[in-house]
Amino acid sequence: MIEFLTQPWSWWFSGILIVSIMFFLLYFGKSFGISANLRTICAASGVGKRVKFFDFNWRTQLWNLVFLAGSIIGGFVAHQFMSNGEPVQLAEATIADLNALGFSNPTSIQPEELFSWEAVFTFKGFFILALGGLLVGFGTRYAGGCTSGHAISGLADLQLPSLIAVIGFFIGGLIMTFGIFPLLF
Amino acid sequence: MKSIKFLVLGIVFGIVMAKSEALSWYRIQEMFRFQSFHMYGIIGTAVALGVLGIALIKKFNVRDNEGNPIVFYPKAKSVTRYLLGGAIFGLGWALSGACPGPIAVNIGYGYLSMAMVFLFAIIGTFIYGLVKDKLPH
């Protein structure tokens, strides 16, 4: 049991749990979509007085903020009590590609080159995380959802707009990975 | 007290994101380079079971815990906003290695630098709200 908890979980087990969360939310009369919280946070800050897009009763979305807070706690619990501290078992080909870009072999779940404080306090490191955040926040709202809202909830409901959005996710992701990374790193 | 269930679901979600390693920048790179089945397996399993479950909910008119019908609202028909917005999100997803859920989970996991990504994601959403009416949808 302890071994099961501390090892990485398989894709199928993880997939089953994620879709179970989606069904629980449906059963509780809600829908699974995490990026909506970004809009809710803007609305809660009071900018709705000036920007119409944020002028709505954000209190109806409190449940989703609670879910978001839970996910932060979940990350903490997983790291403190359910982690064996091993680095990500990444595909050899990916390690080789990332080495070629100047990344060292994984020693944990995130690259030090991007997420350590040393990296964040360089101009380039700050720029990467800030730009990444801006694109995520802008893009999800423009597309009307992120991975949870479109790739999982939307595709599961066979919604064509979600399929188009997921194709968009990949167009952007591939341009970044193969077009921009070689210039950036 | 009614919100406790959402807190619990969120905690489970955070744990799954961490234990499946979907919160890892490395895993997202592996996915966009098509070098592992892992991320496709996670999303594919969720979608396949989701299609089945939602079809059953619709067929049997399943109701939620308060007795209301579970309804699915079709998303507005368009191509531009989904393709363009999706691509902008995809650029950010590959760069920061995290979508909104995993950004939050990473903060709890101890990657406090992700709080900065989160802050800028809020700013990004705010900018969208400002310029929304000028964009093609």
Side-chain angles (χ1 to χ4, degrees):
Chain A
M1 184 67 185
I2 296 289
E3 198 183 339
F4 166 76
L5 286 177
T6 56
Q7 274 179 349
W9 291 350
S10 66
W11 52 265
W12 58 266
F13 183 66
S14 307
I16 290 171
L17 285 178
I18 291 169
V19 79
S20 305
I21 291 165
M22 184 191 85
F23 282 123
F24 270 110
L25 288 175
L26 286 173
Y27 178 68
F28 293 136
K30 312 295 183 195
S31 60
F32 184 37
I34 294 166
S35 65
N37 283 308
L38 299 170
R39 184 184 179 195
T40 305
I41 292 168
C42 288
S45 74
V47 293
K49 288 192 197 82
R50 286 156 188 258
V51 186
K52 198 165 155 274
F53 185 62
F54 302 110
D55 184 17
F56 63 97
N57 184 10
W58 58 270
R59 284 180 182 81
T60 61
Q61 296 297 309
L62 264 176
W63 69 270
N64 209 350
L65 289 178
V66 171
F67 182 91
L68 186 74
S71 74
I72 298 175
I73 299 171
F76 178 80
V77 169
H79 183 225
Q80 294 298 316
F81 308 112
M82 302 170 71
S83 165
N84 59 10
E86 303 251 324
V88 174
Q89 298 297 309
L90 209 56
E92 290 296 327
T94 311
I95 295 178
D97 284 357
L98 293 176
N99 283 344
L101 288 172
F103 287 88
S104 50
N105 290 358
T107 55
S108 63
I109 61 147
Q110 297 290 22
E112 291 288 305
E113 289 90 341
L114 291 176
F115 297 102
S116 65
W117 289 119
E118 292 79 26
V120 176
F121 288 119
T122 62
F123 174 76
K124 187 174 146 185
F126 181 86
F127 172 79
I128 287 173
L129 295 190
L131 182 66
L134 283 176
L135 291 167
V136 165
F138 187 94
T140 49
R141 216 58 276 132
Y142 194 178
C146 59
T147 324
S148 52
H150 276 311
I152 296 180
S153 300
L155 287 186
D157 190 28
L158 302 176
Q159 298 241 5
L160 184 61
S162 292
L163 182 63
I164 300 170
V166 172
I167 292 169
F169 297 172
F170 271 83
I171 292 172
L174 295 176
I175 291 174
M176 180 56 70
T177 300
F178 294 102
I180 303 178
F181 271 20
L183 307 173
L184 205 55
F185 299 114
Chain B
M1 282 301 102
K2 278 173 79 177
S3 44
I4 288 276
K5 55 184 181 284
F6 298 115
L7 189 73
V8 173
L9 285 176
I11 292 172
V12 175
F13 174 75
I15 292 173
V16 179
M17 286 296 107
K19 295 308 296 175
S20 65
E21 299 180 332
L23 85 172
S24 166
W25 182 92
Y26 291 119
R27 286 285 186 206
I28 304 305
Q29 267 301 296
E30 209 182 36
M31 175 183 80
F32 281 128
R33 292 172 186 276
F34 304 103
Q35 288 164 335
S36 165
F37 177 71
H38 188 75
M39 289 301 302
Y40 297 99
I42 295 172
I43 298 173
T45 303
V47 171
L49 295 174
V51 168
L52 196 69
I54 288 179
L56 291 173
I57 289 173
K58 287 179 175 173
K59 184 164 165 55
F60 294 104
N61 297 313
V62 178
R63 288 169 180 270
D64 67 19
N65 65 329
E66 287 177 350
N68 302 312
I70 296 177
V71 281
F72 298 90
Y73 300 98
K75 297 181 198 293
K77 293 258 181 296
S78 163
V79 174
T80 318
R81 71 171 296 188
Y82 299 116
L83 209 56
L84 208 56
I88 293 170
F89 165 62
L91 287 166
W93 190 11
L95 185 58
S96 61
C99 43
I103 291 175
V105 180
N106 265 290
I107 298 171
Y109 201 91
Y111 287 99
L112 297 182
S113 49
M114 276 287 187
M116 207 183 90
V117 181
F118 191 78
L119 179 70
F120 276 91
I122 294 171
I123 297 172
T125 295
F126 177 69
I127 295 172
Y128 170 76
L130 282 181
V131 300
K132 174 178 180 289
D133 295 333
K134 298 187 180 75
L135 298 170
H137 275 79

